[in-house]
């Protein structure tokens, strides 16, 4: 009986880890790239790994390392990092209705990345309340450990790997955009999301081309949100007129 109970306890964890397995390829490859870049920017191996353990913020880590290496003032580094991570202000309320009252959620939300949010927003509503914490823990921990492992691999052996396989150095920088593209592609199935995502991408590209790479992500995200609500509002108004 106790064996059955223990198996039942771990089942949501295993399900979460299984659902997150698809993320590992993207996470590890991007993390290797980050490990190499951080080391080349003057960070030690342990400092590089610590950034992935404690900051764990994907694109923000690349920005953090680049700005620190370029000698940017600390206040500007903090402000830009917070601006990029401001998307979590949207993520939190969207999954809050599916969270239970367990205090463990506060610690586990350190693992709320873009990809885990996309998975959680789809899967949590389908799960029983008693399974949600375990599922999220399994998915988030697998993603986190794969990111840390990839960072360590990049920091310790990344330079040797790239020297041995030069093509790897050309491919790794595209791993992060490719990972986001895979997540976004299914959303281009309605006018609402197509306009919002295409507008966001265009604004980010223009800002990058005109020499504002650090502002591209937060400003493009803001424009995308405004486009989303503008198109949605227009659609609702049109339906009301027909009604």
């Amino acid at each position: 009986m106790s064996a059955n109970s223990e198996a039942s306890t771990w089942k949501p964890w295993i399900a979460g880890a299984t659902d997150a397995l698809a993320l590992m390829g993207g996470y590890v490859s991007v993390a290797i790239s980050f490990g190499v870049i951080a080391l080349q920017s003057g960070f030690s191996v342990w400092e590089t790994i610590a950034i992935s353990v404690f900051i764990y913020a994907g694109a923000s880590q690349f920005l953090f390392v680049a700005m620190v290496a370029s000698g940017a003032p600390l206040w500007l580094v903090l402000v830009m990092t917070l601006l990029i991570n401001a998307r979590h202000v949207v993520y939190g309320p969207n999954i809050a209705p599916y969270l239970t009252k367990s205090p463990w959620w506060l610690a586990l939300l350190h693992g709320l990345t873009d990809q885990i949010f996309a998975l959680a927003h789809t899967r949590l509503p389908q799960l029983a309340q008693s399974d949600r914490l375990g599922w999220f823990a399994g998915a988030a921990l697998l993603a986190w450990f794969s990111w840390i492992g990839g960072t360590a691999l990049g920091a310790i052996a990344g330079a040797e790997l790239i020297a041995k396989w030069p093509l790897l150095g050309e491919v790794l920088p595209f791993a992060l955009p490719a990972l986001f593209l895979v997540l976004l592609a299914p959303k281009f199935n309605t006018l609402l999301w197509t306009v919002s995502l295409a507008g966001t991408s265009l604004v980010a590209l223009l800002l990058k081309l005109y020499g504002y790479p650090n502002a591209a992500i937060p400003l493009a995200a803001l424009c995308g949100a405004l486009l989303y609500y503008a198109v949605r509002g227009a659609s609702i108004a049109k339906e009301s007129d027909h009604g």
Side-chain angles (χ1 to χ4, degrees), residues 162-176:
I162 290 173
K164 189 171 182 180
W165 294 293
L167 183 61
L168 191 61
E170 302 293 327
V171 172
L172 283 176
F174 293 97
L176 186 62

Side-chain angles (χ1 to χ4, degrees), residues 131-231:
D131 292 340
R132 290 174 184 172
L133 182 67
W135 180 92
F136 190 91
L141 288 173
L142 180 73
W144 187 39
F145 285 131
S146 65
W147 182 263
I148 295 169
T151 299
L153 181 59
I156 295 168
E160 288 79 5
L161 290 172
I162 290 173
K164 189 171 182 180
W165 294 293
L167 183 61
L168 191 61
E170 302 293 327
V171 172
L172 283 176
F174 293 97
L176 186 62
L179 186 59
F180 278 103
L181 184 61
V182 169
L183 289 169
L184 289 175
K187 285 290 187 181
F188 283 90
N189 60 349
T190 64
L191 178 63
L192 174 62
W193 280 106
T194 300
V195 171
S196 303
L197 295 173
T200 301
S201 303
L202 181 61
V203 170
L205 178 62
L206 290 174
L207 287 170
K208 170 71 174 176
L209 291 175
Y210 280 94
Y212 300 99
N214 292 336
I217 293 176
L219 290 180
L222 178 61
C223 289
L226 293 174
L227 276 171
Y228 176 88
Y229 285 108
V231 175

Side-chain angles (χ1 to χ4, degrees), residues 80-114:
M80 293 308 301
T81 303
L82 287 172
L83 277 174
I84 291 178
N85 287 328
R87 62 192 185 278
H88 287 271
V89 175
V90 178
Y91 291 171
N94 273 279
I95 67 167
Y98 310 115
L99 306 187
T100 59
K101 294 183 186 281
S102 172
W104 286 107
W105 281 109
L106 189 60
L108 285 172
L109 288 177
H110 176 63
L112 185 63
T113 62
D114 303 320

